[in-house]
Amino acid sequence: MRYQSTRGGAANLSFTEAVMTGLAPDGGLLVPADIPDVSAKLDAWSSLHYCGVANAVMSLFIDDIAPDALTDLIARSYASFDHPEVTPVFTSGELHVLELFHGPTLAFKDVALQFLGNTFDYLLKAQGAHLNILGATSGDTGSAAIAGVRGRDNVDIFVMFPDGRTSPLQERQMTTVPDANVHALAIEGSFDDCQSILKAIFRELDFKAEYSLGAVNSVNWARVLAQVVYYFVGYFRVGHDGPIDVCVPTGNFGNIFAAYVARRMGLPLRRLVLATNANDILARFFRSGRYSRGDVHLSLSPSMDIQVSSNFERYLFYNLGCDPGKVRSVMETFEATGDAQLNFNTRVYDEAFAAGTADDAATLGAIGRTWAEHQYLLDPHTAVGVAVAEDYRAQAGDNVPMLCVATAHPAKFPDCIADVLPGVPATHPTLQALESMPTRKTVLPADVDAVKSVIRDARR
Ligand SMILES: *Cc1c(COP(=O)(O)O)cnc(C)c1O
């Protein structure tokens, strides 16, 4: 399989090149040259274990890693999950929940980052190279990136976070990791300061080249690919003979884009129901065809407090007939004005999608109702999805099963759960164990040179 940029400036890249490049040089995202139709294989795949499905799906898109090596990468990536099915489906009555939170940090990003971390390490070893990953987190995503590469020989990771401004739990998830290649940098400043430092360092091309700096951002194609797998697994476990709907709590559009790829591969997903919190740029788009930036609102589901969704451009590429010229023109308009109108006259922008929004009150309502009806605890991100899914099913008025995607374990958000359901414990042994573990962090002023010197000193 070859890869090309959504904006036309790069083409004919191998999978390895696509993974190591991340963002295309023309500012576009990398997409496969075509998406194979696998409808004829679904029966045969339906009884496979998670890793078998992963092999079947991923090997269609990866032809430059030997089959045995790919099988081994997949097996090692998902051995770190605490459930034998990796992403099991919980069912109670009409509620079906695809649990993506059984990885080491209890959030769905582990599914992609465990695979990406192993793949980076494998490719770097083959090239005899070393990579320094630099990232900034407001709390939640840093730990999944750390867990993906901890203990790896050919990668060091530096994660900046605003000192004292993440939750104590989030900080412990980053600072209790003992591996020497992990550097938790507590910056005396805000998350914006961390991001400014990140951008400033990535702009220094000499430093970037000398220290082989890279990122694990959500636009890496390997992350999307790893996420396509669980839509197949989820569909098989629901066990319905015919199409189902899926509902995905959405921020950067990575997770639901993976569902879109699975649908284009022939998986019978009728509707992809996109759920947002008050940050509703995408929900508005799928109702109106107008892509227009708003202000960022803080919500109970912080990992979805995003206005501009980096993976959306990949969807546009397919939606605009794989025409890089059209993608470029829409993205240039949007980047310049914060507003792009794609379609004036239709009520539904794309038959594949439905969209809805749940504010904080609706989120809490879904947590309370789901506990009362099913004795099942939702984290606030998953609850946004469940609230939107309930609205959607009430409107659709049919019996097509709905698979709701669970993106985090509720124990990661104990305060929110305690607000709605006082007395119901939201705990997890992995998180409890962190409380007694030693922590390690480097406190630094919000200063570019301070961060650069830590990277310099870590050279091995
Ligand atoms: C990242 C994240 C999301 C949003 O996923 P996208 O792929 O960015 O749309 C939702 N829930 C949780 C818990 C997350 O960490």
Side-chain angles (χ1 to χ4, degrees), residues 25-90:
D26 62 355
L29 306 193
L30 294 166
V31 287
D34 72 288
I35 295 184
D37 185 327
V38 301
S39 5
K41 300 179 177 155
L42 295 178
D43 272 352
W45 289 3
S46 64
S47 55
L48 297 177
H49 178 258
Y50 189 95
C51 291
V53 179
N55 256 300
V57 169
M58 290 164 114
S59 58
L60 297 172
F61 294 91
I62 304 176
D63 50 19
D64 53 350
I65 295 181
D68 286 354
L70 181 62
T71 302
D72 179 58
L73 284 176
I74 292 170
R76 280 193 289 124
S77 300
Y78 300 110
S80 63
F81 281 55
D82 71 5
H83 195 288
E85 289 182 49
V86 183
T87 61
V89 171
F90 169 87

Side-chain angles (χ1 to χ4, degrees), residues 3 56 111 114 143 299 323 360-361:
Y3 290 84
V111 180
Q114 288 291 305
S143 54
S299 77
D323 180 340
D360 282 351

Side-chain angles (χ1 to χ4, degrees), residues 119-136:
T119 303
F120 266 150
D121 196 52
Y122 171 84
L123 297 175
L124 289 163
K125 277 197 175 118
Q127 299 168 0
H130 182 270
L131 180 70
N132 282 317
I133 293 171
L134 179 63

Side-chain angles (χ1 to χ4, degrees), residues 102-327:
H102 290 277
T105 74
L106 313 183
F108 96 96
K109 293 196 173 61
D110 289 329
V111 180
L113 288 170
Q114 288 291 305
F115 178 73
L116 182 65
N118 281 313
T119 303
F120 266 150
D121 196 52
Y122 171 84
L123 297 175
L124 289 163
K125 277 197 175 118
Q127 299 168 0
H130 182 270
L131 180 70
N132 282 317
I133 293 171
L134 179 63
T137 181
S138 57
D140 223 36
T141 54
S143 54
I146 289 172
V149 299
R150 60 180 289 187
R152 300 278 171 265
D153 298 327
N154 295 47
V155 185
D156 273 64
I157 185 165
F158 303 82
V159 175
M160 296 181 273
F161 61 93
D163 196 24
R165 300 202 199 178
T166 64
S167 79
L169 182 67
Q170 288 170 334
E171 178 167 332
R172 274 199 297 274
Q173 281 196 296
M174 293 185 278
T175 57
T176 51
V177 180
D179 306 82
N181 70 330
V182 172
H183 312 269
L185 310 183
I187 304 294
E188 294 171 323
S190 64
F191 174 55
D192 284 346
D193 293 328
C194 299
Q195 278 196 309
S196 311
I197 297 172
L198 185 75
K199 285 190 191 142
I201 295 182
F202 274 113
R203 270 196 304 265
E204 290 190 32
L205 299 182
D206 289 345
F207 185 83
K208 189 174 170 239
E210 185 178 353
Y211 290 92
S212 318
L213 282 195
V216 284
N217 45 31
S218 67
V219 300
N220 198 296
W221 168 255
R223 287 182 68 171
V224 174
L225 180 56
Q227 293 174 181
V228 173
V229 173
Y230 51 68
Y231 287 100
F232 283 87
V233 173
Y235 176 80
F236 297 142
R237 297 303 172 262
V238 168
H240 183 68
D241 192 16
I244 67 169
D245 295 330
V246 295
C247 183
V248 186
T250 295
N252 260 322
F253 203 80
N255 202 352
I256 198 163
F257 178 72
Y260 180 74
V261 172
R263 190 179 188 274
R264 286 186 78 102
M265 291 173 76
L267 187 68
L269 303 179
R270 180 180 66 168
R271 203 75 17 95
L272 312 174
V273 181
L274 181 150
T276 67
N277 62 25
N279 297 287
D280 63 349
I281 174 172
L282 290 169
R284 284 186 281 118
F285 172 78
F286 282 105
R287 289 191 299 251
S288 68
R290 181 169 178 196
Y291 191 50
S292 109
R293 201 195 310 254
D295 296 327
V296 177
H297 303 279
L298 297 185
S299 77
L300 293 173
S301 40
S303 297
M304 293 156 60
D305 291 346
I306 288 165
Q307 276 292 337
V308 178
S309 299
S310 37
N311 270 293
F312 186 66
E313 182 168 337
R314 285 198 168 102
Y315 163 73
L316 279 184
F317 177 78
Y318 291 102
N319 186 250
L320 298 174
C322 303
D323 180 340
K326 286 187 182 161
V327 175

